[in-house]
Amino acid sequence: MTAGATPLVVTVGLAYFAVCAVIGVAAARRTRTPADFFAAGRGLGVVTLALSSMAATLSGFAFVGGPALVYRVGFGAVFLVLPASITATLTAWVLGRPLRALAVRHGVLTLPEALGTRYGSPRVHAASAIALLIAVVGYVATNLLALGLALDAIFGCGLAAGVALGTAATVAYTATGGILAGVWTDVFQGLLMALASAAVFVVAAGAGGGPAVLIRAIAAESPTWVGPWGTVGATTALSWFFVFGIGTLGQPHVLHKFFMMRDDRVLRWYPALMTGALGVTLLLYVGVGLAMRGLVALGLESAPVRPDDVTPIFLLRHVPPLLAALVFSGVAAAIMSTVNAFLNVGAAALTHDLPRAAGRPLARPLAAGRLATVALALAAAGVALWSDALVAFLAIFGWGLFASVFTPALAIGLHWPAASARAALASIGTGVTLTLGLESLAALRVAALPAGVPVAGISLVAATAVFLAVGALDARGEVTRV
Amino acid sequence: MDDPRRAATTPRVALGTIAVALGLMLVGYGGQGRGAAWTGWCLALGTALAFGGFLRLGVARRAPSPAERVAVWGTAAWLAAAFAVGLAGGDRPAVARLVLGLPVPTALVFLGIALVPAVALPLLFALSGERAAPAADPQHPEA
């Protein structure tokens, strides 16, 4: 990422970390039980729930990778985030109340435990926890690398030092205060992200004489860029909409928040607040990519060497310095809130889910959870610094793996009484096998799907179809036996 | 209040809709390999139906209220219509006339998907009585 290490950016960055530290210390003092550590004491109100869910949902991609993608492929890239108009209501309607019911009536703390409890199956519990761990390491490694880049841009400290600093800061409050510290910092981080994004969008909307001037200039160079599907075409854009819309029903770092609700009433206005927060925070995603591409087309800006430089260049050259400084910290905030959520669900899989699935719950789960958080973060940071190729590979399949593993068994299974543990295991196996297998074949250049067909889309469709088919067969068997 | 008789039954409409949606997606992906022109239409309809089917799952525990029916089938129909506008409009829209700075098909697709569901769905959810009814036990849906 292009360096922005001016004294103002450094000062705002230091102030941001100081606020996070204060919140983390306060939360750590109130974290006394595993329910505090993994489910924030089940005390979240609607504002906290919505802002922390938004902050966990949006990683640094919304601020850096997303605008770069818009710059590169045009409006087709917007189909990655367009489902945000629906997903909060979708998840609340399909999963909010059932997950809350499992938390209250069975003390469920995690998504794998929800599946294990629903199907009365330790094997489903263990299989989903293992699948979750595979994706978590990849997600955290990718985000720690992005955090290192962001901190290097803020402080000019170098990538390795940035990764080390970011890992240490995030682990400090995640390991001591657990998800309680996470949701409290998420509220601060979410507000910072939304404020910064909205302000930058206002600047972007006025760049180069306004959107109409920019659009006409871009269309003269690339007519498909301004079309509804961008340069990627309808198949890819619609697949993104499907995977990032329906796949939201399988994202543990966001759904985990439903276990933390204070009561059922919290759910009523959650979709409205969450959708509004997502909408405001995603304005930068669209605005900066469009503005930079238009400015380049008008000859008012030189083309970035790397697409990932789109946001930093726009911030440093076109945005007031204080706002730019806030956005740089907002990028760090977006990444840290996501890393916190993943570390927490990963630590829970290691110290809560797998031991319970094996019938041997740990004697000191809180201490084990803290240790597991540190261990996972160190492993992911090691991966991040060890191999760019491995990080790039791991980054590809995280969302798709979660979507194909959890969406059928959870979203359908919680509403279909006849769905069996066998169906859940079959769909989880299908999701893991197809996602890892097809991505590996593509990475090794052995075989690839046709252009425009994403592995995540195929995996989600196949895992859901397998779940329906095996579930229907088992349900028919039950009827026959009766 | 949840109807225990409905809660214990298979959500046939939702599962049927999801199954049809998956079939369309698979046909669409299969056609993409052969470069067929209709793949986009299959994916568009499949995606819209998938949203409708999963939303229907969420309200399947009891007889859907009018607001819930609008949310479920209105979302599917709205998405299908927005995607159809994009597919029918071609991938190189004219820029002589712009709406809010965007080419007309792009504006219709984006603003249609981004704004209308973002306002309507949360309101329909809040009005649907989700708050009042106690959650049924997913482990024992008939309880």
Side-chain angles (χ1 to χ4, degrees):
Chain A
M1 192 186 291
T2 296
T6 64
L8 184 61
V9 170
V10 171
T11 305
V12 171
L14 288 173
Y16 160 74
F17 275 104
V19 173
C20 288
V22 169
I23 294 171
V25 169
R29 287 181 176 169
R30 292 183 56 161
T31 300
R32 299 187 182 92
T33 67
D36 292 334
F37 192 83
F38 292 125
R42 302 196 199 285
L44 297 197
V46 64
V47 175
T48 318
L49 179 70
L51 282 174
S52 65
S53 298
M54 180 274 280
T57 301
L58 300 182
S59 65
F61 181 79
F63 286 74
V64 179
L69 191 64
V70 172
Y71 175 88
R72 206 157 50 83
V73 305
F75 286 129
V78 181
F79 279 83
L80 281 163
V81 296
L82 266 183
S85 65
I86 302 172
T87 50
T89 310
L90 179 71
T91 53
W93 230 320
V94 178
L95 293 171
R97 296 172 70 244
L99 291 181
R100 161 83 184 149
L102 282 169
V104 170
R105 298 180 192 189
H106 300 282
V108 166
L109 289 176
T110 68
L111 230 49
E113 190 177 22
L115 288 176
T117 305
R118 155 63 182 87
Y119 294 102
S121 167
R123 291 173 68 194
V124 173
H125 193 169
S128 54
I130 290 168
L132 184 148
L133 273 172
I134 294 171
V136 158
V137 173
Y139 249 129
V140 174
T142 310
N143 277 281
L144 286 179
L145 189 63
L147 185 56
L149 290 166
L151 294 184
D152 181 30
I154 294 172
F155 298 117
C157 57
L159 176 61
V163 170
L165 175 64
T167 305
T170 312
V171 166
Y173 71 85
T174 307
T176 53
I179 201 68
L180 187 63
V183 295
W184 285 7
T185 47
D186 282 351
V187 171
F188 164 64
Q189 290 163 339
L191 285 171
L192 176 63
M193 290 157 62
L195 181 73
S197 174
V200 169
F201 181 76
V202 171
V203 176
V213 178
L214 298 176
I215 287 288
R216 290 194 172 104
I218 298 168
E221 272 189 4
S222 173
T224 54
W225 197 101
V226 301
W229 316 111
T231 61
V232 294
T235 303
T236 300
L238 287 165
S239 292
W240 282 343
F241 193 90
F242 174 72
V243 170
F244 286 88
I246 300 299
T248 308
L249 293 166
Q251 302 304 311
H253 57 302
V254 182
L255 302 177
H256 185 204
K257 301 283 194 292
F258 285 132
F259 297 125
M260 307 173 197
M261 288 190 295
R262 191 171 51 218
D263 54 50
D264 277 0
R265 287 174 299 179
V266 168
L267 205 54
R268 186 176 195 183
W269 292 106
Y270 161 78
L273 275 174
M274 170 75 166
T275 305
L278 277 172
V280 170
T281 311
L282 286 169
L283 288 172
L284 185 149
Y285 180 108
V286 185
V288 168
L290 168 62
M292 276 297 286
R293 182 60 193 253
L295 290 170
V296 170
L298 287 167
L300 299 174
E301 184 61 82
S302 53
V305 176
R306 297 174 305 173
D308 277 355
D309 286 335
V310 162
T311 298
I313 288 174
F314 186 78
L315 292 177
L316 292 171
R317 297 184 188 165
H318 301 277
V319 172
L322 180 60
L323 179 55
L326 280 173
V327 179
F328 275 111
S329 291
V331 173
I335 300 169
M336 287 170 72
S337 55
T338 304
V339 170
N340 162 269
F342 278 120
L343 285 178
N344 194 262
V345 295
L350 274 175
T351 64
H352 183 79
D353 293 313
L354 290 176
R356 279 174 182 263
R360 295 177 181 176
L362 299 182
R364 298 177 62 196
L366 186 55
R370 286 178 165 143
L371 271 177
T373 303
V374 176
L376 268 176
L378 289 177
V383 169
L385 289 173
W386 177 48
S387 165
D388 284 353
L390 182 58
V391 171
F393 174 68
L394 293 172
I396 294 170
F397 65 73
W399 183 280
L401 187 59
F402 283 141
S404 59
V405 164
F406 285 107
T407 299
L410 194 69
I412 301 176
L414 288 180
H415 295 281
W416 185 16
S420 61
R422 214 164 64 111
L425 284 169
S427 74
I428 291 169
T430 303
V432 172
T433 306
L434 279 182
T435 305
L436 297 186
L438 292 175
E439 293 290 10
S440 298
L441 290 175
L444 295 170
R445 300 180 191 280
V446 174
L449 293 172
V453 180
V455 169
I458 290 287
S459 300
L460 178 55
V461 168
T464 308
V466 165
F467 183 82
L468 291 178
V470 177
L473 283 173
D474 285 352
R476 183 169 292 182
E478 286 292 318
V479 171
T480 306
R481 280 197 292 277
V482 168
Chain B
M1 182 70 75
D2 290 4
D3 180 344
R5 286 165 302 177
R6 282 182 180 275
T9 60
T10 298
R12 292 181 194 281
V13 175
L15 295 185
T17 307
I18 292 169
V20 171
L22 295 178
L24 284 164
M25 299 294 292
L26 283 174
V27 171
Y29 284 140
Q32 181 70 7
R34 298 196 299 275
W38 41 262
T39 57
W41 292 95
C42 284
L43 294 177
L45 193 54
T47 300
L49 282 176
F51 274 87
F54 275 96
L55 277 169
R56 183 66 179 83
L57 267 183
V59 300
R61 288 180 175 278
R62 57 189 183 283
S65 67
E68 289 168 337
R69 286 180 198 277
V70 170
V72 172
W73 303 120
T75 300
W78 190 263
L79 286 178
F83 295 150
V85 167
L87 288 167
D91 58 0
R92 293 165 181 256
V95 292
R97 184 166 162 244
L98 301 175
V99 176
L100 295 174
L102 299 172
V104 175
T106 307
L108 287 175
V109 174
F110 285 178
L111 300 180
I113 296 175
L115 294 183
V116 176
V119 173
L121 278 177
L123 281 177
L124 290 169
F125 179 84
L127 295 172
S128 73
E130 278 291 310
R131 180 179 63 100
D137 187 343
Q139 193 190 21
H140 305 289
E142 70 283 4

